[in-house]
Amino acid sequence: MTLTLTTAGESHGPALVAIVTGLPAGLVLERTAIENDLRRRQQGYGRSPRQQIETDEIEVLAGLRHGRTLGTPLALVVLNRDHKNWTWGMSPWPPEGGPEGKGKEPVTLPRPGHADLAGVMKYDLSDVRDALERASARHTAAVVAAGAVAKGLLAEIGVRVESSVVTDDLEKRIDEARAERDTVGGVVEVRATGVPPGLGSYATKEERLDARLAWALMGTQAVKGVEIGDGFGLAALRGSEAHDEILRDEGGYRRETNRAGGIEAGVSNGEEIVVRAAMKPLPTLMKPLRSADLETGEPAQALVERSDVAAVEALAVVAEACVAFELARAAKEKFGGDALVDFMAAWQAYVERIPWSAR
Ligand SMILES: Cc1cc2nc3c(=O)[nH]c(=O)nc-3n(C[C@H](O)[C@H](O)[C@H](O)COP(=O)(O)O)c2cc1C
């Protein structure tokens, strides 16, 4: 069974939910590891005050007993503490009394670059809030929780996933943008070490590891570009400059360069996996762009609501979670196992068979 992740939850609804299926039984999960990643997602230069009012914590509703997975669907919940200010506005059932609190006025001023206009047309909505609440990147808290679980599984086979921001001078760019009531984006990088050759496959598009990583990252809010290894830069090189020569020593096969970012033909090649994602500037602007009122059709300025100036550091944590989940999914497909011991035994036998040493 492969790993799957299903998430549910609105930005100011009661909670976010992540359901992970396909985990082997017997995997020890650390609550602090999951909450540490949730906290990392909330931090970073340029985030809005919401991150201070909410310290995300995890509740586990199913699939775990005494800290060990049961091999059954794992259900994780992250409560939205801010929901207390939105109990009328985001009530799942027709609210009694009111209107009161946040979300009581319908939003009719769609923001360029957000889900607002496409969402109301697609789903036949009259209040943009019905679209933006799910489109919002608050949802990435559920992704990060699932990614932390995936990292736990990967750690068992010596795979480590880390992320960083690669855009220079980000704090300065953020300060300048904030002063001008604007927003910025940036580029993040995820690296995974210890990945054995053979995750993913060239057999079908669906199995290609590069395609799966690109899908996972592109499926994240505000990501507009993904590159594997030297990516776009490779297009300007000659073949003799672009490919990583194959060397063999007592440790097995290895490369001196890693322009392919650890993936050839959709399959991990035993080198470090290197993936980058480009984030666009956030669309909610304190100095809004031109828009049109949905009720009157008249020209208007787009919605202004509390928002980040930048969330690039947060995206790095989310991207790390996305890459971890895809690598764990590919590893689970390759090594199988209902129980962790079986997964580990298959991995052990495989890495003993192939001429490769971890890096
Ligand atoms: C971690 C993270 C935080 C974000 N925070 C904000 C925000 O505060 N304000 C905003 O307008 N967009 C924010 N976004 C981006 C929007 O969610 C995104 O641009 C929007 O959903 C439209 O989707 P698209 O950019 O993929 O087209 C954030 C994205 C991420 C990944």
Side-chain angles (χ1 to χ4, degrees), residues 20 28 43 60 115 129 144 198 229 233 237-238 268 290 300 330 352:
V20 180
V28 173
Q43 289 163 356
V60 181
R129 182 154 305 284
V144 166
L237 301 180
R238 293 266 183 94
S268 60
R290 285 184 298 169
E352 279 169 15

Side-chain angles (χ1 to χ4, degrees), residues 172-184:
K172 185 165 168 278
R173 290 176 67 232
I174 292 171
D175 288 340
E176 286 167 2
R178 192 197 309 274
E180 289 162 35
R181 295 156 74 215
D182 217 327
T183 60
V184 290

Side-chain angles (χ1 to χ4, degrees), residues 74-336:
L74 179 74
L76 306 173
V77 170
V78 182
L79 295 179
N80 284 328
R81 294 179 191 281
D82 197 21
H83 178 65
K84 64 178 184 299
N85 300 312
W86 297 75
T87 47
W88 189 92
M90 287 303 293
S91 170
W93 297 106
E96 290 168 9
E100 61 189 6
K102 294 190 176 171
K104 62 178 188 287
E105 307 289 347
V107 178
T108 61
L109 303 171
R111 290 161 296 175
H114 220 298
D116 307 356
L117 184 57
V120 292
M121 291 197 281
K122 177 176 169 67
Y123 293 103
D124 186 27
L125 310 173
S126 53
D127 183 351
V128 167
R129 182 154 305 284
D130 286 341
L132 71 85
E133 279 284 332
R134 176 64 182 165
S136 144
R138 172 74 186 140
H139 149 257
T140 57
V143 173
V144 166
V149 172
K151 283 200 287 183
L153 180 61
L154 290 172
E156 298 288 338
I157 57 169
V159 174
R160 207 180 146 86
V161 187
E162 290 178 336
S163 61
S164 60
V165 172
V166 293
T167 300
D168 290 332
D169 292 332
L170 192 62
E171 292 195 3
K172 185 165 168 278
R173 290 176 67 232
I174 292 171
D175 288 340
E176 286 167 2
R178 192 197 309 274
E180 289 162 35
R181 295 156 74 215
D182 217 327
T183 60
V184 290
V187 177
V188 303
E189 182 175 273
V190 182
R191 289 176 174 261
T193 54
V195 179
L199 298 194
S201 174
Y202 44 76
T204 61
K205 207 190 256 192
E206 289 75 13
E207 290 167 275
R208 286 185 68 107
L209 190 61
D210 46 4
R212 291 162 62 157
L213 295 177
W215 167 81
L217 292 168
M218 247 335 176
T220 301
Q221 287 85 345
V223 171
K224 296 298 146 194
V226 176
E227 68 177 5
I228 314 272
D230 285 1
F232 279 76
L234 292 173
L237 301 180
R238 293 266 183 94
S240 55
E241 303 165 317
H243 301 298
D244 307 306
E245 289 183 304
I246 299 170
L247 306 177
R248 172 87 205 237
D249 58 23
E250 61 288 350
Y253 292 106
R254 65 179 180 82
R255 317 296 174 100
E256 264 172 6
T257 56
N258 185 22
R259 300 179 190 108
I263 302 175
E264 288 169 307
V267 189
S268 60
N269 66 6
E271 299 298 316
E272 196 177 19
I273 304 276
V274 186
V275 196
R276 289 182 173 203
M279 184 182 211
K280 75 182 189 184
L282 305 178
T284 308
L285 304 178
M286 296 305 121
K287 206 166 56 183
L289 295 176
R290 285 184 298 169
S291 182
D293 192 306
L294 293 175
E295 277 173 359
T296 64
E298 292 296 318
Q301 290 195 317
L303 168 73
V304 179
E305 74 170 18
R306 184 184 60 200
S307 183
D308 301 334
V309 176
V312 188
E313 288 178 64
L315 176 69
V317 180
V318 177
E320 179 184 309
C322 292
V323 168
F325 199 87
E326 277 315 305
L327 291 178
R329 194 156 76 89
K332 181 71 200 315
E333 285 163 14
K334 175 131 184 65
F335 303 120

